[in-house]
Amino acid sequence: MSLSVVALAGTTSLAHADPCLSLTGCLQQDAKDQLNATRDSVRNDTNNLTSGFRNSGQAARDQVRNSWNNSTQATREQLQQQRDSVTNAEKNVRDRWNNSGEEARQKLQAQRDRVTNAEKNVTDRWNNAGENTRKAWKAQKDRVSSDLRDATTLPPL
């Protein structure tokens, strides 16, 4: 009897050492391994994505800096004028908003809401349309674009 207790105690300690000695332990270990692998994969993907964003942002800043440093004085002045015109346009809109009365603000907000709702309605119609309807709309858009291009293109001399 003492031999079987010792043998049982040895198997129990082996089961703790290697979880795959029992079916349940093996399934649990497999599930843990898969979970850890998935967790590591998500962590790696997230790190790659965020470092990609950081690298893209840095590359864009470097490109702008290099373009500025390599540009002529005339190009720099032109870029500064463009920046100033955008800044002045933003300032004008802000000033008009701040100096307008409540009634004018409500009209502006109503116009903005109509545009926002129109965009949402178009998106909803597109998302709810069938494939044939989408193809027909796309064909119509392509025809209009082609007609516009034809109408605005000068013939060769």
Side-chain angles (χ1 to χ4, degrees), residues 125-126 128-139:
R125 285 182 63 199
W126 178 263
N128 294 329
E131 187 63 30
N132 291 336
T133 304
R134 287 183 184 182
K135 286 179 182 177
W137 286 343
K138 179 155 179 11

Side-chain angles (χ1 to χ4, degrees), residues 3-23:
L3 183 59
S4 62
V5 171
V6 170
L8 182 62
T11 350
T12 306
S13 65
L14 285 178
H16 286 293
D18 184 7
C20 282
L21 288 180
S22 71
L23 179 61

Side-chain angles (χ1 to χ4, degrees), residues 62-121:
D62 291 345
Q63 183 179 6
V64 168
R65 187 178 303 113
N66 290 336
S67 294
W68 179 262
N69 291 337
N70 296 329
S71 65
T72 64
Q73 186 62 32
T75 304
R76 288 180 182 183
E77 289 173 4
Q78 183 182 13
L79 290 171
Q80 286 176 329
Q81 288 173 353
Q82 289 174 350
R83 183 194 64 200
D84 292 344
S85 68
V86 169
T87 303
N88 289 335
E90 290 174 349
K91 184 182 180 308
N92 288 341
V93 168
R94 194 176 310 112
D95 289 346
R96 284 178 54 197
W97 177 263
N98 290 335
N99 294 330
S100 65
E102 187 61 32
E103 185 177 327
R105 286 182 183 185
Q106 288 177 352
K107 286 181 183 177
L108 289 172
Q109 285 178 330
Q111 288 174 345
R112 184 192 66 203
D113 292 344
R114 277 198 304 271
V115 169
T116 302
N117 289 337
E119 290 172 350
K120 184 183 179 313
N121 290 339

Side-chain angles (χ1 to χ4, degrees), residues 141-153:
K141 175 187 167 257
D142 292 343
R143 278 193 308 275
V144 169
S145 296
S146 176
D147 291 347
L148 180 63
R149 189 174 36 256
D150 292 344
T152 58
T153 302

Side-chain angles (χ1 to χ4, degrees), residues 17-30:
D18 184 7
C20 282
L21 288 180
S22 71
L23 179 61
T24 306
C26 195
L27 292 174
Q28 288 175 343
Q29 185 63 39
D30 188 42

